[in-house]
Amino acid sequence: MGEIFQLLKRGNKSALLAAIINTVISIIKGVAYMFTGNVAMFAETMHSLGDAANQFFVFIGSALSKKAPTEKYPNGFGRLVNLVLLGAVLIVGIMAFETIKEGYHHVVHPTEAGGFAINVTVLAVATLLETFVLFKAMKEVLHEIEVEASGFAVFGKSFANLGRAKPATKLVFMEDLVATMGGLLAIIAVVISHYTDLHQLEGLASIIIGIMMLFVVGKVFLDNAAGVIGQADEEMENKIGALVMADPDVKDIQGITVIKEGEDLHVELEIEVDPKLTVAAADDIKDRLEEKIMAEKGVVDVTIEIDEEDGVMTWKSKNELETE
């Protein structure tokens, strides 16, 4: 039990914060829907409820993925976070389907909902809370990739570097971005529907919110399916390749592979050195490179093979390949 608590302390904090806030939001929206019967509020209730459950599972998965390797699982549990995220998106998918279905019924059979003041107030408060969580996720993205930013610069830099964030943080970011946009859309639909006869707009807003949820499902599924299979991190391969080639005793790199498992990186490297070097000297090179590579963020193990120089330059960085 003590080990579980220690692992939970290392779970993704953004996911935990988002899960707690979305739970509160879903309860408030659910109560408002019971009193008003507003279909846009129903869509937002489903959205927040799905996000809360999803993000809670993400927190648990990100924590358990940090469990130390065992004899039975020598490569560790890094991919567990990808598996949990694959399961979590199913929840969002179901909620998205219900949201679209309810919205369609309202478009076909529009009805005027009451409780205008309640709906607008609840949606406005919920959207502000979602914006707060989104901003925290943005800062977490920048923290993970060690990029400094403040004020409005956080928005631009977090979007530009989202692809480099950890899977759990990326999911929280995307879900809360959609939630914030969905909240604003729901408010607009409620206001227009109240002051006009266009009551179908609430159903249309519900359908659009559901479609946005499905977009998150598709994006997260593709990203984490690749992670479960074992996705190569090309950016880190290029970075480590440059680091290795900077060593004066390394003549060439025959091959380099960086496999991403959840938040962990496994590095396999084959280098060429001067054939005149002694075994002891070659071993010193290997130890030196292992120390440098292990210092890179996310790297959990390094395997290095040494071969003699063959006189043919094999290594080309990603940038060099793109210019050919």
Side-chain angles (χ1 to χ4, degrees):
M1 185 64 70
E3 182 185 11
I4 293 177
F5 282 120
Q6 290 299 319
L7 288 172
L8 290 177
K9 289 181 181 179
R10 299 171 62 190
N12 188 281
K13 301 300 188 298
S14 294
L16 179 61
L17 175 65
I20 293 172
I21 291 180
N22 274 307
T23 298
V24 174
I25 291 174
S26 64
I27 293 172
I28 295 173
K29 288 178 178 177
V31 172
Y33 170 69
M34 290 174 61
F35 279 100
T36 66
N38 186 285
V39 70
M41 184 64 74
F42 172 80
E44 280 297 292
T45 302
M46 290 293 100
H47 192 177
S48 296
L49 188 61
D51 284 354
N54 205 0
Q55 290 156 353
F56 177 73
F57 283 122
V58 168
F59 169 71
I60 297 297
S62 67
L64 296 181
S65 69
K66 294 179 173 61
K67 180 178 172 62
T70 63
E71 184 176 345
K72 189 174 182 180
Y73 300 100
N75 291 328
F77 298 83
R79 297 189 191 189
L80 185 59
V81 66
N82 298 115
L83 288 170
V84 170
L85 286 171
L86 284 177
V89 295
L90 293 177
I91 298 174
V92 181
I94 294 171
M95 297 295 183
F97 173 75
E98 291 297 325
T99 300
I100 293 173
K101 185 176 73 172
E102 190 68 22
Y104 173 76
H105 288 322
H106 191 78
V107 170
V108 176
H109 305 289
T111 56
E112 184 177 1
F116 172 72
I118 295 176
N119 287 326
V120 172
T121 301
V122 169
L123 288 172
V125 171
T127 302
L128 286 174
L129 290 173
E130 295 284 10
T131 303
F132 168 74
V133 176
L134 175 61
F135 186 73
K136 295 289 288 184
M138 288 178 171
K139 295 188 71 174
E140 184 67 18
V141 168
L142 299 181
H143 173 71
E144 289 176 357
I145 61 176
E146 299 179 344
V147 173
E148 296 291 334
S150 59
F152 288 106
V154 172
F155 290 84
K157 289 188 177 182
S158 61
F159 273 98
N161 294 281
L162 181 60
R164 298 166 57 194
K166 295 178 181 178
T169 304
K170 188 187 299 185
L171 175 64
V172 173
F173 180 103
M174 293 180 64
E175 286 190 335
D176 282 294
L177 175 62
V178 170
T180 302
M181 294 171 61
L184 293 173
L185 182 62
I187 292 173
I188 294 171
V190 169
V191 170
I192 294 177
S193 177
H194 179 74
Y195 288 106
T196 69
D197 293 329
L198 300 174
H199 304 307
Q200 296 94 334
L201 280 180
E202 293 178 2
L204 183 61
S206 179
I207 293 173
I208 294 174
I209 291 169
I211 292 173
M212 290 193 298
M213 292 167 68
L214 286 178
F215 171 78
V216 173
V217 169
K219 177 63 176 172
V220 173
F221 178 83
L222 291 175
D223 285 350
N224 288 279
V228 169
I229 296 171
Q231 183 181 24
D233 190 326
E234 293 183 357
E235 182 178 349
M236 187 58 75
E237 287 177 356
N238 196 45
K239 183 178 181 180
I240 292 177
L243 181 152
V244 171
M245 288 301 295
D247 190 291
D249 291 317
V250 175
K251 304 302 181 182
D252 192 12
I253 299 176
Q254 286 190 5
I256 179 171
T257 304
V258 179
I259 298 297
K260 193 172 185 179
E261 294 186 347
E263 300 172 6
D264 298 337
L265 298 174
H266 303 271
V267 181
E268 296 180 4
L269 180 68
E270 185 175 356
I271 62 174
E272 293 181 4
V273 299
D274 190 332
K276 297 178 181 179
L277 289 177
T278 63
V279 174
D283 194 53
D284 288 341
I285 296 171
K286 181 178 178 181
D287 292 341
R288 184 168 67 239
L289 291 176
E290 283 183 353
E291 183 178 355
K292 290 180 179 179
I293 295 172
M294 286 294 294
E296 292 293 323
K297 190 172 183 178
V299 176
V300 294
D301 61 64
V302 182
T303 302
I304 300 178
E305 295 182 11
I306 297 180
D307 199 356
E308 62 181 31
E309 184 183 11
D310 59 10
V312 179
M313 180 58 68
T314 303
W315 168 251
K316 289 186 179 181
S317 69
K318 181 181 178 183
N319 292 333
E320 289 175 328
L321 290 172
E322 289 176 348
T323 56
E324 290 186 350

